[in-house]
């Protein structure tokens, strides 16, 4: 019998202008997955879920329907066909959810990433982290019906990532500036990714696209040169934010509060309802986060919220 614990933290997809192509990881909070390998050969699925805590009973226990077990099944299939590693025993999976569901904090990606690093370790690390990203993305399809990579890739790799292409998959790790801090505020309300995607237009005017790709280029340049002012100027989303902001009570007041408190920029975290802001010091990030929390609480629809202040996570998913 062998037990391995994997951990992966929250991630922020889109990063304002990079809808589905940019994301980053923070250091906490995160999900933990405990995998126990036994020699027992059972009929049916080689993976079973023994316990899920922290989800209020919302997540499925069927190994084919739960993101964390589904990605382990895909991983086992892959190592059997591509690495000639036939696996005979049984894996018991325990999921400890610390990330809120439907929060825009990459909850499903964190569970998948934690499960995948644990499974890889259990099998003697046959796959690189970049290979694991492929399975984590398949997990996103199970979780919300769309195989976007902007949470899954940073959950595994850490730092910022750019998804240059989905087909074929081309993921580019981007280093993060030393003094970049994220204030992540999660208001106590849910917004399903599938719904937040359904409000987006199927096509956008060329003028809008020009603005958006100008900002994506500028944001990457700002990250690569540690130009904090440029990062701030580039945190503009003219595609998803205008459509999704009405789904988040008090969003504009929260954004105003962040900018007035010294944030470089502020936007919706992934598909929301969480909101993130960047600052160039931990102290400012803390002031910004508290101002955002206050704005949520004193809006027309008062919402309590949780706040995390974090540097960018450099490591990605890891073994505990
Ligand atoms: N890029 C995805 C979206 C992220 O905005 O729908 C979901 O967290």
């Amino acid at each position: 019998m062998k037990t391995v614990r994997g951990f992966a933290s929250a991630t922020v997809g889109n990063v304002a202008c990079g809808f589905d192509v940019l994301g980053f990881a923070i250091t906490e909070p995160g999900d933990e997955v405990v995998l126990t390998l036994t020699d027992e050969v059972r009929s049916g699925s080689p993976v079973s879920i023994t316990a899920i805590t922290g989800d209020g009973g919302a997540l499925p226990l069927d190994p084919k329907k739960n993101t964390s077990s589904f990605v382990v099944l895909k991983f086992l299939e892959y190592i059997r066909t591509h690495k000639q590693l036939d696996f005979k025993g049984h894996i018991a999976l325990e999921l400890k959810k610390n990330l809120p569901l439907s929060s825009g904090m990459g909850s499903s990606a964190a569970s998948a990433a934690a499960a995948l690093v644990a499974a890889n370790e259990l099998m003697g690390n046959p796959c690189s982290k970049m290979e694991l990203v492929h399975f984590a993305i398949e997990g996103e399809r199970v979780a919300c019906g769309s195989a976007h990579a902007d949470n899954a890739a940073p959950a595994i790799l850490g730092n910022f990532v750019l998804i240059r292409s989905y087909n074929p998959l081309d993921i580019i790790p981007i280093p993060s500036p030393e003094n970049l801090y994220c204030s992540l505020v999660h208001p106590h309300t849910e917004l399903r990714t599938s719904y937040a995607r359904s409000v987006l237009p199927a096509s956008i005017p060329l003028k809008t696209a020009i603005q958006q790709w100008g900002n994506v280029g500028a944001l990457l340049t700002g990250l690569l040169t540690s130009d904090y002012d440029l990062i701030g100027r580039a945190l503009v989303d003219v595609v998803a934010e205008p459509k999704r902001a009405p789904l988040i009570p008090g969003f504009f007041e929260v954004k105003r509060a962040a900018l007035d408190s010294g944030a470089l920029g502020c936007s919706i975290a992934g598909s929301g309802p969480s909101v993130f802001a960047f600052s160039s010091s931990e102290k400012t990030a803390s002031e910004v986060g508290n101002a955002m929390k206050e704005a949520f609480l004193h809006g027309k629809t008062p919402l309590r919220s949780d706040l995390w202040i974090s540097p960018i996570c450099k490591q990605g998913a890891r073994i505990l």
Side-chain angles (χ1 to χ4, degrees):
M1 201 167 98
K2 189 177 169 193
T3 295
V4 174
R5 314 172 91 82
F7 174 87
S9 53
T11 50
V12 173
N14 301 340
V15 204
C17 49
F19 179 73
D20 275 3
V21 301
L22 269 178
F24 66 91
I26 59 174
T27 55
E28 52 152 19
D31 285 355
E32 194 183 320
V33 170
V34 185
L35 297 185
T36 303
L37 175 66
T38 61
D39 301 334
E40 185 193 348
V41 183
R42 298 191 194 177
S43 58
S45 174
V47 180
S48 61
I49 300 178
T50 49
I52 304 179
T53 53
D55 69 326
L59 294 176
L61 287 159
D62 179 342
K64 288 204 186 90
K65 293 194 178 137
N66 186 290
T67 313
S68 56
S69 44
F70 176 82
V71 296
V72 175
L73 288 169
K74 288 278 156 205
F75 164 81
L76 293 175
E77 234 173 79
Y78 178 82
I79 60 168
R80 186 169 49 241
T81 51
H82 290 81
K83 312 266 177 185
Q84 285 72 51
L85 271 173
D86 206 1
F87 158 75
K88 293 244 161 41
H90 186 81
I91 295 176
L93 183 153
E94 187 187 342
L95 170 60
K96 299 180 178 178
K97 277 226 70 85
N98 294 311
L99 296 186
L101 307 175
S102 301
S103 60
M105 294 169 62
S107 179
S108 51
S111 298
L116 283 166
V117 289
N120 200 32
E121 175 80 11
L122 212 49
M123 295 296 150
N125 289 306
C127 290
S128 67
K129 276 193 157 182
M130 199 55 100
E131 282 177 290
L132 296 182
V133 170
H134 289 73
F135 314 118
I137 296 172
E138 284 308 309
E140 292 294 68
R141 199 194 300 280
V142 170
C144 75
S146 96
H148 58 275
D150 49 332
N151 292 110
I156 290 187
L157 302 171
N159 272 310
F160 283 81
V161 291
L162 168 70
I163 298 108
R164 188 203 62 81
S165 153
Y166 273 84
N167 191 15
L169 195 61
D170 187 2
I171 289 181
I172 302 166
I174 310 284
S176 41
E178 218 39 59
N179 295 318
L180 193 63
Y181 287 86
C182 173
S183 315
L184 183 61
V185 182
H186 169 239
H188 294 178
T189 177
E190 287 190 358
L191 181 51
R192 296 185 79 85
T193 299
S194 50
Y195 179 65
R197 292 180 83 84
S198 75
V199 304
L200 301 178
S203 57
I204 55 171
L206 182 61
K207 219 173 113 185
T208 309
I210 291 169
Q211 278 176 276
Q212 195 83 353
W213 60 53
N215 282 312
V216 173
L219 178 54
L220 290 171
T221 307
L223 292 171
L224 291 167
T225 58
S226 297
D227 184 337
Y228 295 96
D229 287 339
L230 182 55
I231 292 170
R233 291 208 301 286
L235 285 176
V236 179
D237 175 11
V238 291
V239 175
E241 188 182 294
K243 303 287 178 201
R244 288 173 166 176
L247 309 179
I248 304 171
F251 172 75
F252 291 111
E253 290 76 10
V254 170
K255 182 167 176 165
R256 185 75 267 149
L259 297 175
D260 287 350
S261 306
L264 299 167
C266 171
S267 189
I268 300 170
S271 55
S274 296
V275 180
F276 82 98
F278 279 147
S279 299
S280 54
S281 79
E282 193 169 6
K283 182 172 171 288
T284 308
S286 173
E287 288 162 7
V288 164
N290 284 316
M292 292 164 75
K293 245 175 104 76
E294 283 298 300
F296 265 126
L297 193 59
H298 296 113
K300 257 192 231 130
T301 309
L303 287 173
R304 290 184 181 282
S305 60
D306 298 311
L307 164 66
W308 293 274
I309 307 296
S310 172
I312 308 305
C313 171
K314 303 230 184 312
Q315 197 180 5
R318 64 181 197 272
I319 298 301
L320 293 178

